[in-house]
Amino acid sequence: MAKFEKANSVEEWLDQRLAINKVKKVMAYEYWIPKDINFLWAMGMILAMTFGVLTISGIFLLMYYKPDVNLAFDSVNYTIMSEVGYGWLWRHMHGVAASLVFLIIYIHMFTGIYYGSYKKGREMIWLSGMLLFVTFSAEAFSGYMLPWGQMSYWAGMVITNLFSAGSLELNGLVEWIRGDYVPGDAFLTRFFMLHVLLLPLVIMGVIGLHFASLRIPHVNNQEGEDFDFDEEAEKYKAGKKKESKVIPFQPVFLSKDVFVMGVFMIFYFYLVFYHYQFALDPVNFDPADGLKTPAHIYPEWYFLWSYEILRPFSKDIGLVAFGFAQVAFFLLPFLDKSPNTKPAHKRGKAFVAWFWIMIVDMIVLTVMGKVPPVSPFNEIGLVAALVFIGLFVALPIITKKEKAV
Amino acid sequence: MREFKILAVVVFFSLVTYWGVEPFAHSQMHKHVEGDNFQYSDLEDSGKVGDAQRGANTFMSAGCIGCHSVESQGMAAPMDPVMAAGAYGVNPPDLSTAGALYDEKFLAELIKNPAHALNVEHKFDPAKGKVHPMPGFYGLGGDRDQEVADIVAYLKSIAPAEVEPKQAFQDACGRCHEMRYADWTQIGETPKFDSKQESLKHQLKVANYQDKLKDYMGKTPPDLSMMIRSRSEHFLSTFIEDPQSQLPGTSMPRVGLTEEGKDKVLAYMTEIGDPSKEKREAVGPWVIGFFVLFTILAYFWKKSMWRDLH
């Protein structure tokens, strides 16, 4: 057993037992971040905070929510919205944060792609991030079931149907997932469990992995500059702060993050109080009715692009394309054959074009995924879906030709 | 400067996406219906000026109270709601507030030709042997338009000057639609019962009424508790003005509300379905104000932290 001396303060007492000073040093005061960054580098902390907001608002909602097909709708729309003090606020905060978290995830992802932050030792950052994207998607979908409105029911029906795998007609699998022939009580209670227990646990675990994956390759910087972090850290510690290319996480990096968070919170609460409709679909304020299909069934905006990759094709091809869309971004570090870890504008015209075409194409897919499937939207959607697939096929070719800079 | 350029790019693409999935997509999903500003311009105006006193007599002679109650004038309903629904499909309305809630032209046409005023001629076609349960008024032998104008004048004379939103909703919508978040069923507000037997008896009455209503309408009309959030205000306005404009073929009749009457109905639906509206508007500025202050302080913190870095 280690030798313990009498501690003179609580801090010292804790330090003897938990080495809190070492932890603080490693995790915060001497966790080094590049200095040459812009506000896009704050998206990670914004995501962490938004996840916190979702967790806290979720806990409050959980106190009154009832996972039962006969009670769920009213527990949300009457009990929480009318009877519980500030229940409406927690619900609007939860709904808007769930939508915004995806906006920030997409910004975070495309920041990573633009600056090449998935390359050369940073593959695990990218892969764990994509894993978070997938678990957040599952979390969003399962949460969307809970108010048991028309869109909960019908989106649940459509998405679980995908597991029949087209012509393979794996109806048994679909029934097994639903716990019933159609979405019902068993369906609702299992998605409730996933939403409030299993998936949040997985998310927390993967967030830990995502943070850990940053340790060895370090955070990328605005110019893709490769430098020795230990050397730069020594300079900083020696007081040569101007010269050093790094800053400590706490308090320097965090001070910038907190400012960006403040700006984000103003925007977020503006949406919560005055502009929440985009996140709380009106159709879901009609109670679930298995005998009445809504005129338009569409997922939330953040799933629309992949939904549109499914929609314009015939059943089986659509499913294959959809499956491809789900894994395509995982493959990015391995499809990008470029020797450069540089921001897109330094990598030559081909990759810059690839990046912006990808952004525009994803937006086109997103919009086409929501509008009714009629001409010319069908044709635009089909072209956009083919472009999406084409971009991933073209990526190894254009990046292989890239000259080292 | 560079940060602002990046921010502009991020904001631009976010707004384009927002525009695409919200205003643009919704404009493609819902057909645009122009309202008629509650003018009921398809209905004729006879131009006759009614006399309320004469109207009171005409009203009695025309036999209106054979089916309708006018409780404010001490005229009780001839049947209870369940029995009335059995006879007519739906409980005929009490006419105490009709003069205040409904358009004059609409009332006149309703008295003369109910199926036409209610816009349900697709459902009630005498040629196919289907007549509207309310018979048209054929007149007492004089000038029918004058007699109708007199009845309308009478209804307006007995109507209260101000109808509360709740009353407007109950009178205009409540005989077909439930509003469970306000304890409202088609046969009235659900009272508190002392015994389970009484409560079950009441539930049975409601179920019996709804059964008749379902036979009459083709399906049970939806509960309106959350309609204010599941439909846009524009949809509700144009739908109330003329259900056929938004849902061609629906068996819901045009109810003939004046614009003011419609506003009251929507106000009540907001009170029940979106009760946090006022609180949102009251709390919003404080929360946003807090974060503006927070952000200003954070900005100075950041400035001080980064001062000696460049």
Side-chain angles (χ1 to χ4, degrees):
Chain A
M1 199 174 138
K3 205 169 163 200
F4 285 86
E5 306 209 348
K6 185 176 159 36
N8 293 316
S9 68
V10 177
E11 197 188 337
E12 204 181 321
W13 189 88
L14 285 171
D15 193 40
Q16 287 167 350
R17 287 153 183 83
L18 293 172
I20 54 166
N21 285 330
K22 179 107 192 272
V23 171
K24 277 203 277 192
K25 224 164 134 176
V26 172
M27 302 296 277
Y29 290 91
E30 290 186 14
Y31 174 38
W32 304 100
I33 309 283
K35 194 201 282 175
D36 186 17
I37 54 175
N38 58 53
F39 78 92
L40 291 172
W41 268 252
M43 295 304 134
M45 287 311 287
I46 288 186
L47 283 171
M49 180 193 61
T50 312
F51 181 66
V53 170
L54 283 164
T55 308
I56 293 166
S57 55
I59 287 170
F60 280 103
L61 294 173
L62 191 49
M63 291 188 216
Y64 290 97
Y65 175 74
K66 295 188 174 73
D68 177 312
V69 287
N70 296 314
L71 304 171
F73 185 86
D74 290 347
S75 74
V76 174
N77 289 306
Y78 183 67
T79 312
I80 290 173
M81 294 300 281
S82 303
E83 296 211 304
V84 178
Y86 291 98
W88 56 271
L89 178 58
W90 293 115
R91 186 191 181 192
H92 280 197
M93 281 174 68
H94 200 71
V96 173
S99 201
L100 267 198
V101 88
F102 278 92
L103 175 68
I104 306 299
I105 286 176
Y106 284 127
I107 294 173
H108 196 53
M109 264 174 79
F110 280 101
T111 302
I113 298 174
Y114 189 88
Y115 292 98
S117 306
Y118 50 83
K119 292 170 66 71
K120 292 234 182 79
R122 296 202 176 93
E123 291 85 353
M124 275 312 294
I125 306 177
W126 180 261
L127 291 175
S128 58
M130 280 308 298
L131 213 52
L132 276 173
F133 175 74
V134 171
T135 41
F136 265 86
S137 298
E139 178 71 0
F141 174 75
S142 57
Y144 200 59
M145 299 298 105
L146 303 189
W148 208 241
Q150 271 291 66
M151 273 301 193
S152 307
Y153 183 91
W154 289 98
M157 182 78 105
V158 171
I159 298 302
T160 46
N161 252 341
L162 294 178
F163 290 91
S164 67
S167 295
L168 293 179
E169 298 196 0
L170 304 176
N171 297 325
L173 177 64
V174 175
E175 281 157 29
W176 181 73
I177 291 168
R178 289 179 185 161
D180 201 340
Y181 298 108
V182 291
D185 213 43
F187 179 91
L188 179 60
T189 48
R190 69 186 51 188
F191 277 97
F192 172 68
M193 178 284 289
L194 287 173
H195 187 71
V196 306
L197 180 73
L198 186 56
L199 290 170
L201 284 180
V202 173
I203 286 175
M204 286 174 203
V206 183
I207 288 176
L209 173 66
H210 194 53
F211 283 172
S213 69
L214 282 161
R215 281 275 151 178
I216 296 170
H218 289 287
V219 174
N220 194 6
N221 58 69
Q222 231 182 160
E223 300 299 330
E225 191 187 349
D226 197 8
F227 54 77
D228 185 332
F229 270 73
D230 295 331
E231 222 169 78
E232 299 299 325
E234 286 313 314
K235 278 190 212 161
Y236 189 94
K237 281 198 271 187
K240 289 187 265 183
K241 291 187 185 178
K242 277 199 174 70
E243 225 176 280
S244 174
K245 287 175 180 164
V246 297
I247 47 172
F249 177 82
Q250 162 80 338
V252 182
F253 177 71
L254 215 50
S255 71
K256 185 166 179 167
D257 270 6
V258 168
F259 167 65
V260 181
M261 277 179 201
V263 175
F264 173 77
M265 287 307 257
I266 296 171
F267 172 59
Y268 167 63
F269 277 110
Y270 159 73
L271 295 177
V272 166
F273 287 108
Y274 303 107
H275 208 97
Y276 47 81
Q277 292 90 339
F278 78 99
L280 295 149
D281 198 281
V283 182
N284 223 21
F285 286 92
D286 277 338
D289 182 348
L291 299 174
K292 196 173 122 196
T293 318
H296 305 282
I297 302 176
Y298 45 82
E300 287 288 273
W301 71 268
Y302 37 84
F303 294 142
L304 287 168
W305 67 271
S306 58
Y307 183 60
E308 186 58 16
I309 290 173
L310 169 87
R311 215 163 58 150
F313 299 103
S314 64
K315 191 165 70 175
D316 290 330
I317 299 173
L319 272 173
V320 172
F322 181 70
F324 172 78
Q326 303 311 307
V327 297
F329 281 105
F330 275 94
L331 303 177
L332 213 52
F334 312 105
L335 294 177
D336 185 345
K337 307 281 184 197
S338 159
N340 303 311
T341 306
K342 291 281 174 204
H345 61 267
K346 290 195 169 171
R347 287 175 57 177
K349 287 198 179 85
F351 186 75
V352 175
W354 185 92
F355 179 84
W356 293 110
I357 293 171
M358 178 58 94
I359 298 248
V360 172
D361 194 53
M362 297 263 301
I363 292 176
V364 171
L365 283 168
T366 299
V367 177
M368 292 304 120
K370 190 150 177 182
V371 293
V374 292
S375 184
F377 303 139
N378 283 342
E379 291 75 22
I380 298 172
L382 178 65
V383 171
L386 292 172
V387 168
F388 181 86
I389 297 164
L391 282 170
F392 279 94
V393 175
L395 186 62
I397 304 164
I398 63 166
T399 48
K400 201 155 209 167
K401 287 190 185 150
E402 211 173 285
K403 287 190 196 77
V405 289
Chain B
M1 205 50 230
R2 190 182 201 172
E3 303 240 359
F4 284 109
K5 273 190 205 158
I6 297 169
L7 181 64
V9 171
V10 172
V11 169
F12 172 76
F13 283 111
S14 304
L15 286 178
V16 169
T17 310
Y18 171 78
W19 172 82
V21 295
E22 283 294 310
F24 174 70
H26 284 285
S27 76
Q28 297 301 312
M29 279 191 279
H30 314 295
K31 63 170 183 174
H32 185 70
V33 174
E34 249 344 305
D36 187 27
N37 294 319
F38 291 81
Q39 295 302 308
Y40 299 102
S41 31
D42 62 313
L43 300 178
E44 266 172 61
D45 187 353
S46 72
K48 302 277 161 128
V49 179
D51 179 275
Q53 288 215 307
R54 262 200 326 258
N57 293 325
T58 318
F59 182 77
M60 296 308 290
S61 316
C64 303
I65 58 167
C67 303
H68 293 281
S69 59
V70 191
E71 276 172 4
S72 69
Q73 306 301 308
M75 301 177 209
M79 288 187 241
D80 75 75
V82 182
M83 209 194 278
Y88 309 118
V90 62
N91 187 19
D94 181 272
L95 300 179
S96 307
T97 58
L101 290 175
Y102 306 113
D103 180 78
E104 251 175 75
K105 268 201 293 182
F106 173 83
L107 283 173
E109 184 65 20
L110 180 69
I111 295 167
K112 289 190 282 187
N113 183 357
H116 181 241
L118 296 165
N119 232 347
V120 285
E121 281 169 313
H122 59 289
K123 218 181 123 187
F124 298 103
D125 182 357
K128 288 183 192 154
K130 294 206 168 164
V131 287
H132 193 272
M134 170 165 161
F137 172 60
Y138 292 103
L140 297 176
D143 176 354
R144 183 168 73 135
D145 281 336
Q146 185 59 53
E147 288 166 358
V148 168
D150 292 344
I151 296 175
V152 174
Y154 166 69
L155 289 175
K156 287 177 82 90
S157 73
I158 59 166
E162 187 63 38
V163 182
E164 289 296 307
K166 181 176 176 179
Q167 187 73 45
F169 174 85
Q170 293 178 347
D171 288 357
C173 321
R175 288 167 303 112
C176 289
H177 293 284
E178 256 188 295
M179 175 81 107
R180 66 185 189 285
Y181 293 174
D183 285 326
W184 175 264
T185 73
Q186 291 89 344
I187 65 169
E189 246 169 311
T190 307
K192 291 259 173 285
F193 294 105
D194 292 332
S195 72
K196 191 160 184 190
Q197 285 86 339
E198 289 300 312
S199 164
L200 286 172
K201 262 189 221 162
H202 182 78
Q203 283 178 39
L204 184 64
K205 261 202 222 169
V206 174
N208 282 334
Y209 183 95
Q210 287 176 345
D211 238 26
K212 308 285 184 234
L213 183 64
K214 191 178 174 187
D215 286 345
Y216 178 64
M217 298 299 287
K219 59 173 263 202
T220 313
D223 184 295
L224 298 186
S225 301
M226 287 310 284
M227 273 304 164
I228 198 74
R229 292 207 59 173
S230 66
R231 304 291 186 281
S232 72
E233 193 148 342
H234 177 76
F235 178 94
L236 288 172
S237 278
T238 48
F239 184 73
I240 290 171
E241 184 181 23
D242 180 11
Q244 300 300 327
S245 70
Q246 293 279 11
L247 267 182
T250 180
S251 56
M252 168 159 161
R254 164 159 77 176
V255 287
L257 282 165
T258 60
E259 182 147 34
E260 204 196 341
K262 177 267 302 183
D263 288 342
K264 285 184 177 160
V265 166
L266 291 188
Y268 186 63
M269 287 168 76
T270 305
E271 189 186 320
I272 300 303
D274 192 14
S276 65
K277 199 174 178 189
E278 276 170 31
K279 278 177 248 159
R280 275 199 308 267
E281 276 150 23
V283 178
W286 289 98
V287 176
I288 292 171
F290 170 83
F291 278 103
V292 170
L293 201 65
F294 175 95
T295 307
I296 292 169
L297 292 175
Y299 178 74
F300 288 118
W301 185 39
K302 191 257 162 187
K303 272 268 163 224
S304 77
M305 282 295 143
W306 285 63
R307 189 175 297 127
D308 45 1
L309 293 182
H310 286 296

